[in-house]
Structures are given as structure tokens and as C-alpha cells.
């Protein structure tokens, strides 16, 4: 599932490059680029926390 | 991917992420009073700098409660809970200091200034750094728990006095809502800031609790492994 989700991400990103979303990112002094980057950084942090959570849960089950 | 049942149990973690993503997008793009003197658009820092301190305070309250619980139960898990929450609250405090200092540089013109609010926050952090040192200096687990819980019992009221009460009593201050300054609520007449700020606060507090519980579970695992 994780393998496919990375491929899906790239497909989605390449799709963005040719759509109206692309135009939006160039508007208003490109502030939307800043917003997107902050969201991406936070998404990675949140995903990292979820992974950590899963690992700890597994260890807890093993220790019991 | 999380299983459905797991996702239902973790609703508040999902809520936290949703709230923070909303705060990032809304905080930057939604209308806000962008014309208040030296603040200009930095008023939007409100959604990120202030929740750091709110989160720190909430985590310290939880830590305080578990400190008292440990003193009455002698259950080491309660002590782990208490110390984990202090540790993560320090992280949020550091982020609060760093963001505040940076904000001050580009509004007040300096990284740091002799101000009741700023110095109070710095001394408050030192109090909890001393908590670390105290903990690390005691080998015996039960004794360590007792000493640090009792220390916590006195540290937290002092911390609240330092970061909230004294700054409010101070004659002058540059920091909003302390001394002779006004808080954000009187700046924001059309409630635009509130639409983002409250949810941002909820999001960051929940994220802090999430990280602190992970820390707790990790330390408990390490402790149990050492026993075996």
C-alpha cells in the first residue's frame, strides 16, 4: 500500500502541473506556494507521528 | 494505513491534524486585521505563537495532576506520565520562546527586552530545567518520583505566577495582554482572528497531548524492558 501511495502522489503532482491548480499557485504573489509548503511539512510531521504511534503500539502488544 | 477501529479511537489525533492544517491555511489566507501599527501582517503569528504557550500550560496541568496521583498511589506509571508531560511541555515552551523572540525582532526591533512577560517566561523555563536536573540526580525510581512530584507541586503555581500574574501586575509591558497593553480580543472587532485562533489552539493542544502520550508509552516500554 505504501509503495502505491508514493506512485499515486507523483501521478497527482504531475497532474497538478498542467491544471488550473497550477495557475492558482502563481496568483497573489505566490502566497499559495508558501501555504502548500507549510501544509506539506506538517503532513510529513503528522505522518511521522502516526508511524511512531504504530511502532509503539506493536511493541506494547509484544511486551504484553 | 490505520484500521477503521483504530481511526475511531484516534479521533482526537485526527482532529488535531485537521485543526492545525486549517490554522496554517486559514491563518495565512483568511482575512485578518493586517493594519495594526508595527504588527502589520505579523498579527497572523497569533495563531502559532500563542498556542505554543497554551499547550505548554495544559501539558503542565496534566503533569501536575499525575504528580499528585503518584504521591497518593506510588504507581511508577503515574510518575512516568508526569515527567513525560513536563518534557514535551518544555519543547512547546522552547518553540514559544523562539517564535516570540523572532516576532519581537521584526516588530519591537529587538530579539529580547527587559519585560515582565518575557523574563517571566524565561524564568519559568529555568524552573522546569531544574526539574530535569533534579530527576537526573536521583537513581532510585520511587525516590525520584517523589522528589520530582513534590517539586512539581510547588513549581507549577510559581510558573503560573511568573508567566501570567506578574506580567499582568507590571506597570508597563510591550507584550500584549500584560501590564498596560491590550489583548488581541480588543484589536479584532470583526472576529476574523477568532475564526482561526480558537481552532488553532485546540489543534496544537491536542498535538502536544499526542506527542506527550507517545513519550509516556515509550518510557514505560523501556522501563518494562529493563525489568525483564
Amino acid at each position: 500500500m505504501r509503495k502505491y501511495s508514493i506512485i499515486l502522489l507523483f501521478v497527482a503532482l504531475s497532474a497538478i502541473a498542467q491544471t488550473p491548480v497550477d495557475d492558482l499557485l502563481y496568483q497573489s504573489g505566490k502566497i499559495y506556494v508558501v501555504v502548500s509548503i507549510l501544509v506539506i511539512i506538517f503532513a510529513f510531521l503528522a505522518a511521522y507521528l502516526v508511524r511512531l504511534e504504530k511502532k509503539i503500539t506493536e511493541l506494547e502488544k509484544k511486551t504484553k | 494505513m490505520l484500521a477503521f477501529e483504530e481511526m475511531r479511537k484516534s479521533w482526537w489525533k485526527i482532529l488535531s491534524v485537521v485543526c492545525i492544517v486549517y490554522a496554517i491555511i486559514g491563518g495565512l489566507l483568511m482575512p485578518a486585521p493586517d493594519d495594526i501599527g508595527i504588527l502589520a501582517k505579523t498579527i497572523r503569528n497569533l495563531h502559532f505563537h500563542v498556542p505554543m504557550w497554551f499547550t505548554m500550560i495544559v501539558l503542565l496541568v496534566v503533569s501536575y495532576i499525575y504528580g499528585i496521583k503518584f504521591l497518593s498511589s506510588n504507581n511508577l506509571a503515574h510518575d512516568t506520565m508526569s515527567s513525560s508531560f513536563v518534557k514535551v511541555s518544555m519543547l512547546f515552551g522552547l518553540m514559544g520562546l523562539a517564535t516570540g523572540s523572532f516576532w519581537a525582532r521584526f516588530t519591537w526591533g529587538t530579539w529580547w527586552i527587559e519585560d515582565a512577560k518575557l523574563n517571566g517566561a524565561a524564568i519559568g523555563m529555568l524552573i522546569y530545567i531544574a526539574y530535569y536536573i533534579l530527576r537526573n540526580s536521583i537513581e532510585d525510581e520511587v525516590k525520584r518520583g517523589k522528589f520530582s512530584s513534590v517539586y512539581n507541586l510547588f513549581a507549577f503555581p510559581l510558573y503560573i505566577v511568573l508567566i501570567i500574574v506578574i506580567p499582568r501586575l507590571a506597570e508597563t509591558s510591550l507584550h500584549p495582554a500584560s501590564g498596560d497593553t491590550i489583548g488581541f480580543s480588543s484589536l479584532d472587532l470583526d472576529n476574523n482572528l477568532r475564526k482561526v485562533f480558537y481552532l488553532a489552539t485546540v489543534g496544537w493542544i491536542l498535538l502536544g497531548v499526542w506527542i506527550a502520550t507517545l513519550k509516556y508509552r515509550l518510557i514505560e516500554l523501556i522501563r518494562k524492558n529493563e525489568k525483564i
Side-chain angles (χ1 to χ4, degrees):
Chain A
M1 189 63 207
R2 197 166 290 149
K3 252 188 280 175
Y4 294 118
S5 62
I6 290 170
I7 295 167
L8 273 175
L9 183 74
F10 278 112
V11 171
L13 281 178
S14 57
I16 282 170
Q18 269 112 44
T19 55
V21 180
D22 191 36
D23 298 334
L24 179 77
L25 287 169
Y26 282 102
Q27 282 168 16
S28 310
K30 300 186 188 175
I31 184 67
Y32 295 105
V33 179
V34 181
V35 177
S36 313
I37 281 174
L38 286 176
V39 170
I40 289 167
I41 288 179
F42 184 69
F44 273 87
L45 283 177
Y48 181 72
L49 278 181
V50 170
R51 256 169 64 89
L52 209 61
E53 165 106 31
K54 275 177 74 180
K55 279 185 184 167
I56 291 176
T57 311
E58 264 171 42
L59 267 176
E60 278 170 344
K61 276 177 193 159
K62 262 188 212 162
T63 323
K64 267 175 195 169
Chain B
M1 287 290 133
L2 282 171
F4 181 70
E5 192 53 34
E6 267 177 278
M7 276 180 83
R8 254 188 41 181
K9 244 185 358 195
S10 327
W11 64 271
W12 57 277
K13 294 165 188 166
I14 297 164
L15 178 70
S16 146
V17 172
V18 171
C19 280
I20 295 173
V21 169
Y22 166 75
I24 293 172
I25 299 171
L28 288 167
L29 298 181
M30 274 164 64
D34 285 332
D35 52 356
I36 308 162
I38 51 169
L39 281 177
K41 286 185 179 170
T42 68
I43 185 68
R44 293 160 191 269
N45 280 347
L46 174 85
H47 310 310
F48 305 98
H49 166 73
V50 183
M52 296 301 119
W53 294 105
F54 284 0
T55 306
M56 182 179 192
I57 293 169
V58 169
L59 296 185
L60 287 177
V61 169
V62 177
S63 155
Y64 194 74
I65 293 168
Y66 275 91
I68 295 170
K69 270 193 171 177
F70 172 74
L71 285 178
S72 63
S73 72
N74 270 345
N75 178 356
L76 278 172
H78 289 156
D79 177 54
T80 311
M81 193 75 176
S82 183
S83 71
S84 311
F85 271 72
V86 169
K87 281 172 188 165
V88 177
S89 87
M90 293 279 292
L91 171 72
F92 277 86
L94 280 176
M95 291 197 281
L97 281 182
T99 52
S101 184
F102 195 81
W103 194 0
R105 172 63 186 81
F106 297 99
T107 46
W108 306 339
T110 172
W111 298 104
W112 196 268
I113 192 168
E114 297 296 321
D115 189 287
K117 191 81 165 184
L118 275 63
N119 285 351
I123 300 166
M125 292 294 286
L126 289 177
I127 289 177
Y128 281 101
I129 289 173
Y131 173 91
Y132 269 118
I133 297 170
L134 178 70
R135 277 189 79 79
N136 290 334
S137 65
I138 303 169
E139 285 278 319
D140 181 64
E141 278 181 327
V142 179
K143 211 174 175 184
R144 176 168 65 205
K146 279 188 177 162
F147 269 73
S148 49
S149 295
V150 172
Y151 180 88
N152 197 353
L153 216 57
F154 292 101
F156 182 67
L158 196 58
Y159 175 79
I160 292 299
V161 168
L162 278 166
I163 68 157
I164 296 172
V165 181
I166 293 179
R168 264 178 212 265
L169 295 175
E171 259 176 36
T172 53
S173 173
L174 276 177
H175 193 284
S178 69
D180 52 351
T181 51
I182 49 172
F184 91 95
S185 49
S186 34
L187 293 175
D188 185 30
L189 293 173
D190 50 2
N191 287 339
N192 275 328
L193 289 172
R194 285 169 211 271
K195 285 173 200 156
V196 178
F197 178 67
Y198 293 140
L199 282 176
T201 305
V202 170
W204 284 108
I205 289 175
L206 291 178
L207 193 83
V209 173
W210 184 7
I211 299 173
T213 49
L214 285 180
K215 178 99 187 159
Y216 158 75
R217 286 158 65 186
L218 189 69
I219 297 178
E220 274 295 284
L221 274 174
I222 293 169
R223 200 164 61 82
K224 275 176 193 157
N225 267 351
E226 274 169 357
K227 248 188 232 162
I228 303 163

